Amino acid sequence: MALLTPSSAALIFYPSDPSSSRRSQILTLLHKTTSLLPRTLHPYGESLSLWEGALQRAWDDVNSSASRNVRIAVFSIDPSANSQDFITAFLDDPLSLTEDARTSLRERWNACPQKSIVFSYGSTDINIPEGVITIPSPWLSRLNATIVELSPEFTNPMPVLAQSDIAILLAGPFLQIDDRPMVALPNSLVLINDPHHPHLPLAKIEASLQNLHTQAIASADLSQSIQAIDQLTSRPRTSSAVESYQQLHKRSRLSSLHKILERRLLSGEPPDLSVDIGNIKLATARHVLHGSLSAIDFAVKNVEAENKASRDSVGLLRKMIWQTELSSRDQVYGEPSLVRKAVEKSEKTVRSAIDTLKWWRLPLQIDDLGPSLTRVISHAWCRDLEKHLVFHAGRLSVLQTSIRSNTQKIISSLPDPIRTPILINDVAQTTTTAHNVQPFSLASPIISRLAHLNSPVARLHSTAQKLVLSTATSSLASIAGAYLVWSVHWMQGETALAAGLFGFFIGLRRYVKKWDSAKKRWWENWTRVGEGLERDLQVRMFALFYGRLQISSQKVFEDTLNENITASPRKAADNLEQQLRHREDDLDSVKTELQSLQAQLEKL
């Protein structure tokens, strides 16, 4: 039987005439504990139902002034222990029961369809089909008790045991505890049915039953007690039968259980011992409070363990993100000047093409200048770097699949209360096609920055056309003006020719100077685009890892990491951290209230 581990609580019965103050305090604690239960035990539906029912019954019991019998429940927690023998040995009285009543008592389970039998004191009335037996047992009379015997097949004995005044748990000598869940029962005592070891190794037994936190352990040889009864009933008038009965009864050690029950249930001074049911009600309510608070304490420890496991999972997710970012950065941009070298290599190819655009060749190349330069730039623009990034995008796609798989394994290992539908849905959204790494996920800045060069090329082409046209126009105007002033005899021929050539060379000098300026501006645009590409691909990455740079540009690499590759573990870690903050805040509040209730209970 798997035993839950709430903290133990002493089985204490107070003197008779308990004050109304103690009764009020217990009622207040019952109310507060009932309010606290759903905040901690809602993941444990069966335990919540158990203790809510026990607290409600304890409240009704304490709040009622009506008298009742002492409630004793008997259940076997060990398949090798026989509860049938215990009830027979405990209730069978050779002087009170008839032979027919004795036979019916011993064979009660043979014809009983119920999973429990209720024993009460009175004239003999045995109703086996209904599971009710009334017999004139001296012990039932002395203890003013009703005993409920639960069958070993009773599937959920905990409510009956927790709500009883005394829970007698039967076990065999080898403590073969079955696998049904048990809670701590501060109102319990354990009886070991062991015919061979009258002196039990209590330390070993207590260690085996430590999670049950029972307050009394006794041993008995039930077979000896039954033999004693048989001896006396077979020869009721002989002194040898009486002597044999006394010896067998003594060897049975059942009297130790009688003494424990008397100490628990009887008040006053000998010989005036009696049952004070008001005192027993308060004591039982106190035991229920102990059990409930212990269950809450157990749930709190469970939540703490779940939070710790979840914190460890968050650490694994964050470590996965960090290792992925670091290794990817080193593999994709392991060389610090990778982008700069790619731009410089492209620049060499483009510069050789630009250098062919001499001023004297412009008139012959004027129509094809823009398209030809665009073709050269397109073929030269960071081709090797683009192939490098496309290759690593494929590698990162494989890495993304592995990371998603590892994230799912971590989520699957989370405790059920942490693995919420919201968490699963959030992570599932990061595994859609939209978040997959594409071949050009990393190389997209190369294409976008190449488009930024279209405008400088167009301006250079337009400038060349304007310069050729304006220079040709000014040259023709100078020659025509010189001819005009010569034809109207304003100047002599040599002077007019000199003036025309002077105007022509002035226009040509302006043309050469403006063309050089246009090429210079074009290279400035080239440098700006190259630096922008380096920022897009690399510089923002250092801001991601070190938090030192704040550059407003297209952050392709960390976008690919955050929104694609590490999106699943990042979303899972963020969701878990948010959950844990709320859970830890609630847990602190519950622990504070729990400690307050425990302190108040200890003072009672």
Side-chain angles (χ1 to χ4, degrees):
M1 179 174 294
L3 300 176
L4 304 185
T5 58
S7 59
S8 64
L11 184 66
I12 300 174
F13 288 89
Y14 296 101
S16 58
D17 300 323
S19 67
S20 59
S21 174
R22 180 180 293 126
R23 177 174 172 274
S24 299
Q25 290 174 353
I26 286 181
L27 287 173
T28 300
L29 285 178
L30 288 169
H31 174 72
K32 290 182 178 179
T33 305
T34 303
S35 301
L36 184 60
L37 273 179
R39 296 175 57 188
T40 54
L41 296 184
H42 62 87
Y44 314 98
E46 185 175 340
S47 182
L48 174 61
S49 176
L50 163 65
W51 291 113
E52 280 185 335
L55 287 168
Q56 182 61 50
R57 183 163 182 176
W59 168 277
D60 295 339
D61 203 18
V62 174
N63 210 31
S64 172
S65 59
S67 180
R68 63 169 176 80
N69 290 346
V70 174
R71 299 189 295 254
I72 300 177
V74 178
F75 181 67
S76 175
I77 61 174
D78 184 341
S80 64
N82 192 342
S83 63
Q84 185 169 352
D85 286 349
F86 168 75
I87 291 294
T88 301
F90 190 72
L91 296 183
D92 192 353
D93 182 67
L95 303 179
S96 303
L97 269 66
T98 64
E99 190 62 31
D100 290 340
R102 180 173 294 106
T103 302
S104 298
L105 177 64
R106 296 190 180 192
E107 297 177 356
R108 60 192 179 279
W109 285 112
N110 295 340
C112 182
Q114 308 298 327
K115 297 298 182 181
S116 64
I117 297 178
V118 178
F119 298 89
S120 59
Y121 178 80
S123 59
T124 303
D125 181 11
I126 299 177
N127 189 345
I128 296 298
E130 296 297 328
V132 177
I133 296 178
T134 302
I135 54 176
S137 169
W139 275 106
L140 291 178
S141 174
R142 178 170 174 76
L143 299 177
N144 190 25
T146 297
I147 297 180
V148 179
E149 180 189 10
L150 304 179
S151 166
E153 288 78 27
F154 202 94
T155 55
N156 186 20
M158 290 305 101
V160 178
L161 296 176
Q163 296 175 21
S164 62
D165 298 315
I166 295 289
I168 300 177
L169 306 178
L170 304 176
F174 301 106
L175 298 177
Q176 298 173 348
I177 309 299
D178 65 35
D179 58 357
R180 275 173 296 192
M182 291 281 287
V183 298
L185 296 171
N187 62 336
S188 67
L189 62 88
V190 175
L191 180 66
I192 310 295
N193 183 12
D194 187 355
H196 305 295
H197 302 89
H199 302 291
L200 291 173
L202 290 180
K204 181 179 179 181
I205 294 175
E206 288 174 355
S208 301
L209 299 174
Q210 60 179 339
N211 293 333
L212 186 60
H213 296 292
T214 182
Q215 293 303 300
I217 299 175
S219 70
D221 183 355
L222 299 179
S223 62
Q224 296 272 3
S225 179
I226 295 175
Q227 289 178 26
I229 296 172
D230 292 340
Q231 286 285 338
L232 190 58
T233 55
S234 63
R235 297 175 296 165
R237 298 183 181 275
T238 63
S239 59
S240 60
V242 173
E243 183 179 356
S244 177
Y245 171 81
Q246 292 174 341
Q247 292 176 353
L248 289 171
H249 186 73
K250 182 178 181 181
R251 285 201 295 267
S252 71
R253 307 185 304 278
L254 196 60
S255 58
S256 62
L257 176 64
H258 295 161
K259 293 177 181 178
I260 293 174
L261 292 176
E262 288 179 346
R263 287 198 301 268
R264 295 292 188 267
L265 300 175
L266 301 182
S267 303
E269 296 295 333
D272 299 323
L273 294 175
S274 62
V275 173
D276 186 341
I277 197 63
N279 183 40
I280 292 176
K281 285 182 178 181
L282 293 181
T284 301
R286 191 173 185 274
H287 302 326
V288 171
L289 282 169
H290 269 298
S292 302
L293 294 179
S294 297
I296 293 173
D297 185 62
F298 170 72
V300 166
K301 288 181 171 61
N302 266 1
V303 172
E304 289 177 335
E306 290 171 353
N307 288 352
K308 183 181 183 302
S310 301
R311 283 288 178 196
D312 293 340
S313 297
V314 171
L316 291 176
L317 293 169
R318 293 297 185 194
K319 182 179 180 181
M320 186 193 306
I321 295 170
W322 178 80
Q323 289 178 338
T324 301
E325 292 173 343
L326 188 61
S327 62
S328 300
R329 176 176 64 85
D330 290 341
Q331 292 176 8
V332 178
Y333 303 111
E335 187 178 353
S337 57
L338 178 67
V339 180
R340 188 177 301 110
K341 287 183 177 180
V343 174
E344 290 174 352
K345 182 178 180 180
S346 302
E347 182 179 340
K348 290 179 181 179
T349 303
V350 175
R351 187 174 291 279
S352 63
I354 294 292
D355 289 344
T356 61
L357 300 177
K358 303 298 183 181
W359 64 270
W360 64 83
R361 294 179 179 175
L362 283 184
L364 301 177
Q365 300 175 325
I366 191 64
D367 291 332
D368 195 42
L369 185 148
S372 62
L373 185 57
T374 299
R375 285 194 298 272
V376 171
I377 294 173
S378 297
H379 285 88
W381 181 246
C382 301
R383 283 295 180 180
D384 293 340
L385 178 61
E386 183 178 342
K387 294 177 181 178
H388 172 81
L389 294 178
V390 169
F391 167 77
H392 282 287
R395 186 188 62 79
L396 292 177
S397 178
V398 176
L399 179 62
Q400 181 185 50
T401 302
S402 175
I403 288 175
R404 286 176 176 177
S405 176
N406 292 335
T407 302
Q408 288 298 332
K409 290 179 181 178
I410 292 175
I411 292 176
S412 299
S413 68
L414 291 171
D416 289 339
I418 302 291
R419 195 173 59 253
T420 62
I422 295 177
L423 170 63
I424 295 173
N425 182 63
D426 284 350
V427 174
Q429 290 179 2
T430 65
T431 60
T432 59
T433 305
H435 291 275
N436 291 343
V437 177
Q438 303 299 329
F440 285 90
S441 294
L442 295 179
S444 59
I446 296 177
I447 300 173
S448 62
R449 286 294 174 176
L450 176 62
H452 290 180
L453 289 173
N454 291 336
S455 180
V457 169
R459 283 198 299 271
L460 182 66
H461 189 190
S462 175
T463 300
Q465 289 175 328
K466 291 177 182 179
L467 286 176
V468 170
L469 181 61
S470 63
T471 302
T473 301
S474 64
S475 298
L476 290 175
S478 297
I479 294 173
Y483 176 77
L484 179 63
V485 296
W486 174 73
S487 63
V488 296
H489 305 291
W490 286 359
M491 290 184 181
Q492 295 181 358
E494 296 82 357
T495 304
L497 180 60
L501 291 174
F502 179 76
F504 170 76
F505 282 112
I506 289 295
L508 186 60
R509 182 175 181 279
R510 174 179 170 274
Y511 160 70
V512 173
K513 185 176 181 181
K514 282 186 174 287
W515 177 240
D516 289 340
S517 297
K519 291 194 293 183
K520 183 178 180 181
R521 286 194 301 273
W522 191 90
W523 282 115
E524 289 175 353
N525 289 327
W526 172 276
T527 302
R528 176 181 55 80
V529 172
E531 291 174 349
L533 176 64
E534 187 171 4
R535 286 196 302 271
D536 290 348
L537 292 176
Q538 195 170 23
V539 175
R540 281 290 295 187
M541 178 180 54
F542 289 96
L544 171 69
F545 289 107
Y546 303 108
R548 296 174 181 171
L549 302 174
Q550 299 295 330
I551 300 173
S552 178
S553 64
Q554 185 184 4
K555 49 186 190 309
V556 175
F557 183 69
E558 76 264 24
D559 281 351
T560 302
L561 283 173
N562 298 346
E563 299 175 7
N564 299 87
I565 302 171
T566 61
S568 293
R570 193 180 302 276
K571 177 64 74 172
D574 291 343
N575 184 294
L576 286 174
E577 287 180 339
Q578 183 178 6
Q579 275 196 73
L580 289 173
R581 282 195 295 271
H582 291 308
R583 283 170 64 91
E584 288 168 354
D585 290 343
D586 292 341
L587 185 61
D588 290 340
S589 173
V590 169
K591 288 172 69 175
T592 300
E593 190 168 349
L594 174 62
Q595 291 169 0
S596 174
L597 293 176
Q598 288 174 330
Q600 293 177 52
L601 185 59
E602 289 300 321
K603 293 178 181 178
L604 291 177

